[in-house]
Amino acid sequence: MANVIKVERELFEKNGKSYFAYYINGKVRNTEVKAQVVPPDLGGYKVLDIVYDGANEAELVVVPFKFAADDGHVIEGNTFKVVSTDENGEIYECPVQPARKSDKSMLDMLIKANA
């Protein structure tokens, strides 16, 4: 069974305002890595506030996909969402994506390392 991957959030300040940044910390080939994830649009930050509900970590869920393009070649990859469950069993989730290409590479390596 794969290990649960946690998405942590860290408070930072910019221009006198406080914001959260979302990271996945881990180790790949004995190297500490930190991959940043972001919601697909700015409204997603409010959704993430609801998912986290004051906590500093939530679970990353990896959803694999695979389909054939019109020209016949197969396209495959993963989509991601941050998920939490409240005391009543209600599930809250928000889609996220790697912030940069380098974060995508690190996230792919972390997923393989945790498989």
Side-chain angles (χ1 to χ4, degrees), residues 32-47:
E32 295 291 329
V33 296
K34 187 175 191 174
Q36 183 177 8
V37 293
V38 295
D41 56 50
L42 290 177
Y45 286 101
K46 180 57 83 180
V47 178

Side-chain angles (χ1 to χ4, degrees), residues 3-8 23-25 52 57-60 83:
N3 294 325
V4 174
I5 299 174
K6 295 290 185 178
V7 180
E8 300 174 41
Y23 295 97
I24 299 158
N25 292 301
Y52 279 80
E57 66 178 28
E59 183 178 346
L60 178 73
V83 177

Side-chain angles (χ1 to χ4, degrees), residues 27-86:
K27 196 174 217 178
V28 177
R29 299 181 86 186
N30 296 317
T31 302
E32 295 291 329
V33 296
K34 187 175 191 174
Q36 183 177 8
V37 293
V38 295
D41 56 50
L42 290 177
Y45 286 101
K46 180 57 83 180
V47 178
L48 284 170
D49 283 343
I50 294 167
V51 171
Y52 279 80
D53 191 34
N56 285 323
E57 66 178 28
E59 183 178 346
L60 178 73
V61 174
V62 180
V63 182
F65 67 85
K66 183 176 184 178
F67 63 91
D70 291 339
D71 64 3
H73 77 279
V74 176
I75 299 170
E76 56 186 305
N78 296 310
T79 60
F80 308 99
K81 57 186 174 180
V82 176
V83 177
S84 69
T85 305
D86 71 11

